[in-house]
Amino acid sequence: MSDVNKTVQKWHASFRKGTDFDSWGQLVEAIDEYQILARQLQKEVQSTNSSDFTEEQKKTIGKIATCLEMRSASLQCTQSKEEFKLEDLKKLETIIKNILTYNKEFPYDVQPVPLRKILAPGEEENLELEEEEDAAAGVGSTEAFPPRAPDLNGVDVNPMQDTPVATRKEDTYIHFSTDIEIQRHVEKLPKGAAIFFEFKHYKPKKRFTSTKCFAFMEMDEIKPGPIVIELYKKPTDFKRKKLQLLTKKPLYLHLHQTLHKDS
């Protein structure tokens, strides 16, 4: 079997997995699967080296990615006026399964996400700052960076980890209820490093995921037990030079840390 056929099979399997989660009511898992697949499809659309798909096929792939993001947004915002239903999404299964031979008109009037809106982490800070929509549930990511590195962009010393969307909202709290394991011994992190937390949400109108705010832990704050850290306005400032609190209201990120010792 060719590599391109294997790729299409993986996409189809991921699509089925997401719609199964969706139909079972496992919305957090469905959103996660939809967003992962959407990123994979968008990456293929962006690729200039790939000759596996024609330009027409890439347009269709991009439209499927848009529909996945629309369904994901509908699940995150139950009051959305632009609801994209599960049965609408399921109609695309035949298309993604037979993408190499599909030659009919796409069933929905959607457009592939423009390339500039398929953002890498941190790129959204270059966009025009506008009022954020608060309807979508948050998405978190963590990354460790040392400050004031010779490289002006900072040096990534730990791989970034994306977490699933928030599990629930309660009063002024958004609950993530997820464990994150730093993929490097704390003792081996360089002096002056910090662990950053970026909070992201999907913006249905502009069809991309944007950073809402960020927080970070200094090395001396890494210790067992609960910790409360402040939330700052975007863009994420990995050098920690120009920090501005997100709001005057007492809003914080609540974490509980566990340190493991090598046996």
Side-chain angles (χ1 to χ4, degrees):
M1 184 183 293
S2 68
D3 288 342
V4 66
N5 279 312
K6 287 180 182 177
T7 298
V8 172
Q9 277 197 353
K10 286 180 181 178
W11 289 348
H12 180 228
S14 180
F15 184 92
R16 283 294 301 271
K17 190 176 178 181
T19 53
D20 282 348
F21 280 137
D22 202 342
S23 61
W24 297 334
Q26 294 177 246
L27 304 188
V28 172
E29 291 84 354
I31 291 167
D32 202 26
E33 198 66 37
Y34 289 153
Q35 291 184 338
I36 290 171
L37 178 56
R39 282 197 293 271
Q40 291 174 349
L41 298 180
Q42 290 167 354
K43 191 174 181 181
E44 184 62 46
V45 173
Q46 273 187 307
S47 174
T48 54
N49 299 324
S50 172
S51 57
D52 293 333
F53 301 96
T54 66
E55 288 306 309
E56 263 323 294
Q57 288 168 346
K58 283 189 175 185
K59 284 181 184 177
T60 302
I61 291 168
K63 289 180 179 181
I64 294 171
T66 297
C67 291
L68 287 165
E69 292 188 341
M70 289 170 66
R71 177 58 188 160
S72 178
S74 294
L75 293 177
Q76 292 179 62
C77 180
T78 55
Q79 298 177 345
S80 173
K81 293 180 181 178
E82 301 178 12
E83 183 181 5
F84 195 79
K85 297 179 180 179
L86 175 58
E87 53 261 39
D88 298 330
L89 188 64
K90 281 187 172 181
K91 292 176 183 176
L92 304 181
E93 182 176 351
T94 303
I95 300 177
I96 196 169
K97 183 180 178 181
N98 302 297
I99 190 67
L100 295 173
T101 56
Y102 184 79
N103 57 8
K104 298 177 183 177
E105 190 174 343
F106 199 78
Y108 304 116
D109 184 18
V110 298
Q111 295 300 319
V113 179
L115 295 187
R116 69 178 186 84
K117 291 187 179 179
I118 305 173
L119 305 178
E123 283 185 345
E124 62 273 350
E125 65 192 50
N126 297 321
L127 298 173
E128 180 182 352
L129 299 180
E130 69 273 315
E131 197 66 30
E132 301 283 348
E133 292 94 352
D134 293 321
V139 179
S141 68
T142 64
E143 196 161 4
F145 276 87
R148 303 179 184 86
D151 180 351
L152 292 177
N153 294 319
V155 178
D156 189 352
V157 298
N158 203 65
M160 186 175 73
Q161 301 179 60
D162 288 326
T163 64
V165 296
T167 55
R168 72 182 194 278
K169 291 182 180 180
E170 183 181 10
D171 296 327
T172 57
Y173 293 91
I174 297 176
H175 297 263
F176 287 89
S177 304
T178 188
D179 292 330
I180 304 163
E181 186 170 333
I182 302 302
Q183 304 296 306
R184 188 167 176 176
H185 289 289
V186 174
E187 296 81 5
K188 294 184 179 179
L189 289 174
K191 185 178 179 181
I195 297 173
F196 279 79
F197 300 83
E198 291 182 303
F199 296 90
K200 303 180 180 182
H201 64 166
Y202 181 72
K203 306 177 79 171
K205 290 182 181 178
K206 295 187 178 292
R207 294 179 181 166
F208 65 79
T209 299
S210 172
T211 297
K212 173 69 175 175
C213 58
F214 72 98
F216 60 87
M217 284 195 312
E218 303 277 9
M219 294 300 291
D220 59 1
E221 294 176 305
I222 301 176
K223 50 193 172 187
I227 182 174
V228 177
I229 55 180
E230 294 176 314
L231 298 173
Y232 297 99
K233 288 184 179 179
K234 68 176 189 181
T236 307
D237 181 10
F238 294 118
K239 300 184 187 72
R240 290 163 272 169
K241 286 184 177 180
K242 297 179 181 179
L243 299 173
Q244 189 174 0
L245 289 175
L246 176 65
T247 172
K248 293 180 180 178
K249 297 177 183 177
L251 298 178
Y252 303 96
L253 170 62
H254 297 254
L255 302 166
H256 191 280
Q257 299 180 71
T258 304
L259 296 186
H260 300 282
K261 293 184 178 179
D262 289 336
S263 56

